[in-house]
Amino acid sequence: MHVTSDAGAPWLVVGLGNPGSEYAMNRHNVGFMVADLLAERIGGKFKRAGKAQALVVEGRIGPPGPGSRRVVVAKPMSYMNLSGGPVNALRDFYKVPVANIVAVHDELDIDYGVLRLKLGGGDNGHNGLKSMTKVMGSDYHRVRFGIGRPPGRMQVVDYVLKDFSSAERKELDYFVDRATDAVECLVIDGLTRAQSTYNS
């Protein structure tokens, strides 16, 4: 059972990515894409967050009244492998329990566009998760956005730092929209409901 958002702590939804226009359409930046859409839905503009090296939008999601949740949507402005510092600073600033943090990130071991939601677990070699777990443990939620494995002999680092292909881009908006729906469902209705609806 959920407490109402006024009585409970806010949620912190972190889109993982790299800052800078050259990275904007990279596979590694799908977390930023979801954060951008969630911010748009909330109706806010990203701004600097105190001393944290991050951009944030504050707002509410869910139906008006006690069913809504206070949410901070964040994009760390460090590079991916240093994401933990800004996220931890935001956690302290907004007084968010680790279990109310949601990391949205790309996932190599899942087919393109497929979603998997979970609480806790390993980092599976993802540098953003590795950095977050190092500073605050692993007991935060993850919305894992499948990008598939690199073709042939392409190195993982080259693959994740490449833009989505033209074929992938045809469906990208739909998949980002669905991932954003999944984040909202997780925050409002809880992990079990979100998993049963969006884990495909």
Side-chain angles (χ1 to χ4, degrees):
M1 177 178 154
H2 280 292
V3 293
T4 62
S5 53
D6 290 331
W11 284 76
L12 175 59
V13 178
V14 181
L16 293 178
N18 286 308
S21 57
E22 67 272 34
Y23 299 106
M25 289 303 295
N26 285 183
R27 293 182 178 93
H28 221 19
N29 267 44
V30 75
F32 272 19
M33 297 173 199
V34 173
D36 285 338
L37 181 56
L38 188 55
E40 192 180 305
R41 290 184 183 183
I42 288 170
K45 294 262 189 256
F46 280 101
K47 62 180 186 189
R48 287 275 169 188
K51 294 179 179 175
Q53 198 181 355
L55 297 177
V56 300
V57 169
E58 297 176 54
R60 301 186 87 85
I61 61 175
S68 74
R69 302 280 179 267
R70 189 154 71 92
V71 174
V72 179
V73 183
K75 297 193 294 186
M77 290 288 108
S78 61
Y79 284 95
M80 179 72 87
N81 60 348
L82 300 172
S83 300
V87 176
N88 205 37
L90 292 172
R91 177 178 75 110
D92 287 345
F93 183 75
Y94 290 104
K95 298 179 170 48
V96 180
V98 173
N100 276 28
I101 296 174
V102 182
V104 186
H105 64 92
D106 57 304
E107 179 63 66
L108 286 161
D109 286 337
I110 304 174
D111 289 340
Y112 174 58
V114 172
L115 296 177
R116 292 276 192 279
L117 285 74
K118 69 174 187 172
L119 174 64
D123 57 57
N124 206 20
H126 192 287
N127 287 330
L129 298 182
K130 195 176 292 183
S131 179
M132 285 178 62
T133 296
K134 186 176 179 183
V135 295
M136 60 191 187
S138 63
D139 295 333
Y140 52 90
H141 289 86
R142 298 100 188 278
V143 174
R144 305 156 72 205
F145 186 112
I147 59 168
R149 279 273 166 194
R153 296 170 180 265
M154 186 186 288
Q155 294 294 312
V156 164
V157 67
D158 295 329
Y159 178 70
V160 299
L161 293 177
K162 274 199 184 326
D163 288 359
F164 284 101
S165 69
S166 55
E168 288 169 333
R169 279 202 293 271
K170 289 174 182 168
E171 296 181 290
L172 183 59
D173 285 350
Y174 168 75
F175 288 141
V176 168
D177 194 69
R178 191 166 182 272
T180 309
D181 290 345
V183 171
E184 291 186 336
C185 183
L186 168 61
V187 171
I188 296 163
D189 297 319
L191 179 61
T192 303
R193 170 71 66 83
Q195 285 175 325
S196 66
T197 306
Y198 293 98
N199 277 14
S200 43

